[in-house]
């Protein structure tokens, strides 16, 4: 099966609320993780990344948390906006330049 | 910079036909990749290249071929199209391929292929 996966395929969020998107990975040797955002009809777009020597990393309105003990990754989006509606993928670095992607979570923002 | 560009955006093929999906990047990236994305699924790596003249298989290479004659271009060839190759194809590039500097892959807009 896939080494990277997401807990929920869909997430509906009220505009202004915080969103939390989860991802489980199975390869304990992975040392680098990325979150991508994919809008309808477009290619994936880099959001934020984190190395395995970190537990948390913050960007603009986004935070990635890494729990290596349970091999869990999450993406938190603060004050979710309509423009945040998209499919979100986590990906792990398997071998320097190869990424393994999860199936994705579709986030829908309700007005 | 245009980034990563792909042509065509959409194509319908008959079973057994062949075609080439074009990919070009103007960021002087060494590494280039081809992925396919099936409905509701993540991206699967088809082929990748670490530089001009060097290519290697990814996770799902069967039914595809690639070449890398220049740094900028990385075409993907389907020789005998099959319905199982109906998918969205994404090309990506990165500078060095190493994540030591936390460099990421930049994706093109995708090519939607339908094989009937």
């Amino acid at each position: 099966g896939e080494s990277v996966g997401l807990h929920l395929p869909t997430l509906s969020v009220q505009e202004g609320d915080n969103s939390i998107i989860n991802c489980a990975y199975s390869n304990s040797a992975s040392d680098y993780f990325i979150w991508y955002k994919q809008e309808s009809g477009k290619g994936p777009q880099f959001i934020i990344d984190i190395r395995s020597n970190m537990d948390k990393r913050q960007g603009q309105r986004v935070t990635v948390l890494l729990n290596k003990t349970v091999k869990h990754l999450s993406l938190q989006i603060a004050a979710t906006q309509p423009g945040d509606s998209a499919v979100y993928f986590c990906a792990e670095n398997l071998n320097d330049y190869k990424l393994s992607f999860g199936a994705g979570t579709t986030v829908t923002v309700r007005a | 910079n245009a980034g990563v560009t792909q042509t065509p955006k959409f194509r319908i093929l008959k079973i057994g036909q062949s075609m080439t999906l074009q990919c070009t990047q103007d960021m002087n990236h060494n590494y280039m990749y081809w992925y396919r994305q099936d409905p509701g699924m993540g991206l699967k790596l088809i082929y990748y290249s670490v530089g001009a003249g060097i290519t290697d298989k990814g996770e799902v290479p069967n039914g595809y071929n690639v070449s890398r004659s220049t740094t900028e271009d990385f075409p993907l060839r389907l020789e005998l199209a099959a319905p199982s190759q109906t998918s969205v194809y994404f090309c990506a590039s990165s500078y060095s391929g190493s994540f030591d500097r936390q460099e990421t892959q930049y994706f093109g807009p995708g090519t939607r292929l339908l094989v009937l």
Side-chain angles (χ1 to χ4, degrees), chain A residues 1-2 31-32 34 36 38 41-46 49-51 53-54 57 87 89 92-104, chain B residues 31 33 35 37 40-45 48 50 56-59 90 94 96-110 112:
Chain A
E2 295 183 342
D31 60 359
Y32 181 66
I34 307 174
Y36 282 94
Q38 185 177 23
K42 297 183 179 179
Q45 180 182 13
F46 173 86
D49 57 5
I50 189 168
R51 295 198 63 82
N53 60 355
M54 302 172 68
R57 192 166 189 219
V87 180
F89 295 94
E92 66 176 324
N93 171 26
L94 294 181
N95 183 15
D96 287 339
Y97 39 77
K98 294 182 183 177
L99 292 177
S100 177
F101 287 82
Chain B
Y31 284 61
Y33 316 79
Y35 294 88
Q37 183 178 33
M41 303 294 289
L43 284 76
K44 300 288 188 183
L45 182 63
Y48 64 95
V50 302
D56 209 343
K57 296 178 181 179
E59 188 179 355
F90 289 101
S94 64
S96 68
S98 169
F99 291 107
D100 287 344
R101 292 191 288 165
Q102 296 187 353
E103 291 171 347
T104 190
Q105 297 179 15
Y106 296 88
F107 286 82
R112 187 174 298 274

Side-chain angles (χ1 to χ4, degrees), chain B residues 24 34 49-50 53 79 99:
Chain B
T24 300
W34 272 107
S49 169
V50 302
E79 292 293 348
F99 291 107

Side-chain angles (χ1 to χ4, degrees), chain A residues 38-84:
Chain A
Q38 185 177 23
E39 297 177 54
S40 181
K42 297 183 179 179
Q45 180 182 13
F46 173 86
I47 302 175
I48 192 169
D49 57 5
I50 189 168
R51 295 198 63 82
S52 60
N53 60 355
M54 302 172 68
D55 296 325
K56 178 180 180 179
R57 192 166 189 219
Q58 287 184 297
Q60 186 177 12
R61 279 203 308 119
V62 294
T63 301
V64 55
L65 299 176
L66 177 62
N67 185 331
K68 296 179 287 295
T69 302
V70 295
K71 288 183 284 189
H72 183 268
L73 191 69
S74 69
L75 176 70
Q76 300 178 1
I77 305 174
T80 310
Q81 302 170 358
D84 295 327

